[in-house]
Amino acid sequence: MNLFYRSLLLLLFTGTLVSSCIDETKLEKIPLMAEIDEIREEYAPDKRVALFSIAATKQKDTYILKGESNVPNAVEALKKNLKEKNFAFVDSITMLPGADLEGKTKGIVTISVANIRSNAKHSAELATQATLGTPVNVLKREGDWFLIQTPDKYISWVDFGAITVLNHEAYLQWKKAQKIIFTNTTGYVYSMANKESQILSDVVAGGIMEFLGEEKEFYKVGFPDGRKGFVLKIQAMEYDNWISNLKPTGENLVATSKKFMGLPYLWGGTSTKGVDCSGFTKSIYFINGMVIPRDASQQVHTGKEIDSVSNFNTLQKGDLLFFGRKKTDSTKERVVHVGMWIGNKEFIHSSGSGRVQIGSTDSSAANYDAYNVDRYLRSKRLLEEESPALVNLVNTPIFKD
């Protein structure tokens, strides 16, 4: 660890600014850093899905543990470890969800697409998105922003206008209510059972609303914030019927993916308003009843490995292809891109060049994608595979009990 980095860590953990010109030999060791890092690596190695922001300061012979976490097992393991090593310490760690939420630790996305950001400000990087009706865990509030965790475990910030916060009882009532799911790529919720009436909201594929009844060719629907409107039946399905008719086959995944053709690339996007590469594959699987991890570097650790030597003949429709930097003697493998196999030596992906498109692995084809073929790493099969990171909505009542 170089001098600058150690100085920066001291600033972050202790609030003390250390000049970079100070001799490194005079710097005190950061209190309990090795012990904290050991627990973090075991219980919360991926900060995108587990929060373990812990530091320690020393006062005479006692260490003060500060920070926050939503992983109780990790905090308990840390304290047990310190006790076994005979460290005297005071636990000042804040466990999330925070007590100041007063029990309102659940939230439901109440707009067509919630933009979820890396920090609590609109100018922060778009980390991910969540569609209407998505339930989230609320961890804490800072001003007009909530730190939330989505069903795929992703932890990021959303502004207060994008979700309705609920206590546990109200959340259970919402889960028990009958639902409809919007199945069209895009559309509208109308204020009346008439396409000429005032638009209440836009809505995208995967949007979930409460089912309140039927009127002519419309479903009457309810939003988590109490608004009521109407959607065309032809563009939606009753949720129970949708679940019972789910067939997440390779053919259906391909059919869904082609409805996204030409959709603009959007860093952080996971909806039909725009997608990045992993947001695209995530959306395809979700519309077919599966919740998969958010990022390509997470998706690559799910499913069953099918190929790692460019033997594309072994792939089936729906398999995910991963691309990036290969491992060398001095560098680790780095997954930076993902697409989905659609057959006929082709894969579909949301390309950084601007849109969802189809590339070929056949060097004689007009759409041959030499750039991605050259950086191909491996392919994984997610269909019919079991993993804690792969959630089948048929078996897991995320949206409805």
Side-chain angles (χ1 to χ4, degrees):
M1 182 183 297
N2 63 36
L3 174 59
F4 172 77
Y5 187 52
R6 286 195 65 187
S7 301
L8 179 60
L9 284 174
L10 279 172
L11 172 60
L12 291 174
F13 287 123
T14 69
T16 303
L17 179 61
V18 179
S19 171
S20 61
C21 63
I22 294 177
D23 187 343
E24 185 174 7
T25 61
K26 296 181 180 179
L27 291 173
E28 292 186 5
K29 181 182 178 182
I30 297 173
L32 302 183
M33 186 172 184
E35 288 77 11
I36 293 170
D37 283 347
E38 179 185 356
I39 297 300
R40 181 183 293 109
E41 284 300 314
E42 181 177 356
Y43 289 89
D46 189 345
K47 65 181 181 181
R48 293 169 294 184
V49 298
L51 181 60
F52 188 75
S53 179
I54 308 299
T57 58
K58 190 174 183 181
Q59 295 181 3
K60 296 183 179 180
D61 294 327
T62 301
Y63 294 91
I64 312 300
L65 301 179
K66 298 181 179 180
E68 58 188 10
S69 178
N70 72 324
V71 190
N73 290 346
V75 173
E76 290 305 313
L78 175 61
K79 293 191 291 186
K80 180 181 178 182
N81 187 31
L82 296 181
K83 288 178 182 177
E84 291 175 349
K85 294 181 177 181
N86 294 318
F87 286 111
F89 64 88
V90 175
D91 178 7
S92 294
I93 298 170
T94 299
M95 294 304 303
L96 301 179
D100 60 334
L101 293 173
E102 298 179 343
K104 292 185 176 181
T105 59
K106 297 291 184 179
I108 310 293
V109 174
T110 195
I111 58 177
S112 63
V113 177
N115 292 321
I116 304 173
R117 302 192 177 275
S118 58
N119 289 297
K121 54 184 179 180
H122 286 292
S123 59
E125 175 187 50
L126 182 63
T128 189
Q129 294 178 321
T131 51
L132 174 64
T134 298
V136 300
N137 292 324
V138 179
L139 301 178
K140 68 175 181 178
R141 180 170 185 166
E142 287 186 6
D144 290 338
W145 292 82
F146 290 101
L147 183 66
I148 64 169
Q149 188 168 36
T150 55
D152 56 16
K153 307 302 182 183
Y154 220 76
I155 299 173
S156 298
W157 293 89
V158 69
D159 68 273
F160 77 101
I163 64 172
T164 295
V165 293
L166 305 169
N167 60 28
H168 188 67
E169 291 73 20
Y171 171 69
L172 291 179
Q173 289 182 353
W174 178 86
K175 282 196 72 176
K176 291 177 180 178
Q178 293 297 313
K179 309 283 195 318
I180 68 103
I181 181 169
F182 197 79
T183 53
N184 212 46
T185 305
T186 60
Y188 297 102
V189 181
Y190 299 94
S191 58
M192 300 175 64
N194 184 336
K195 288 190 292 185
E196 303 304 317
S197 65
Q198 176 65 50
I199 292 173
L200 186 66
S201 174
D202 69 319
V203 61
V204 301
I208 306 287
M209 291 162 277
E210 186 177 352
F211 172 74
L212 300 177
E214 301 179 44
E215 189 170 330
K216 300 177 183 177
E217 72 268 35
F218 289 86
Y219 289 122
K220 185 176 182 181
V221 297
F223 284 68
D225 60 6
R227 287 176 294 163
K228 296 177 175 58
F230 297 85
V231 297
L232 287 164
K233 290 182 180 178
I234 197 173
Q235 296 180 343
M237 289 182 68
E238 292 184 45
Y239 187 84
D240 289 342
N241 289 341
W242 178 71
I243 284 288
S244 63
N245 284 283
L246 277 177
K247 295 179 181 178
T249 64
E251 291 290 349
N252 286 343
L253 289 169
V254 172
T256 299
S257 72
K258 290 186 176 180
K259 294 178 181 179
F260 284 65
M261 277 293 289
L263 198 72
Y265 181 92
L266 175 64
W267 178 270
T270 64
S271 74
T272 54
K273 290 191 175 185
V275 286
D276 59 20
C277 66
S278 55
F280 174 55
T281 52
K282 176 178 172 59
S283 296
I284 294 168
Y285 271 84
F286 173 67
I287 294 170
N288 283 274
M290 290 180 64
V291 176
I292 70 173
R294 168 64 183 90
D295 293 339
S297 59
Q298 297 168 315
Q299 293 175 7
V300 74
H301 296 298
T302 63
K304 178 174 68 176
E305 184 163 312
I306 302 301
D307 172 67
S308 62
V309 293
S310 300
N311 184 8
F312 299 116
N313 291 328
T314 63
L315 304 190
Q316 295 179 7
K317 293 177 180 179
D319 290 347
L320 297 186
L321 291 75
F322 296 92
F323 308 88
R325 184 184 67 193
K326 292 180 173 63
K327 179 182 178 181
T328 68
D329 292 338
S330 58
T331 61
K332 295 180 179 180
E333 178 183 273
R334 186 172 178 230
V335 176
V336 299
H337 189 59
V338 60
M340 192 185 79
W341 192 251
I342 62 173
N344 194 34
K345 301 180 180 180
E346 293 181 324
F347 63 96
I348 189 169
H349 62 132
S350 182
S351 169
S353 63
R355 68 183 188 279
V356 173
Q357 56 189 289
I358 294 172
S360 177
T361 60
D362 182 354
S363 60
S364 65
N367 61 336
Y368 176 57
D369 190 339
Y371 174 68
N372 280 310
V373 170
D374 287 346
R375 62 176 186 160
Y376 171 76
L377 298 173
R378 63 177 47 79
S379 296
K380 305 293 287 287
R381 183 164 298 153
L382 276 59
L383 284 179
E384 299 181 1
E385 295 298 317
E386 293 187 3
S387 164
L390 299 175
V391 178
N392 189 322
L393 292 177
V394 173
N395 304 321
T396 307
I398 290 178
F399 296 94
K400 182 181 181 299
D401 283 335

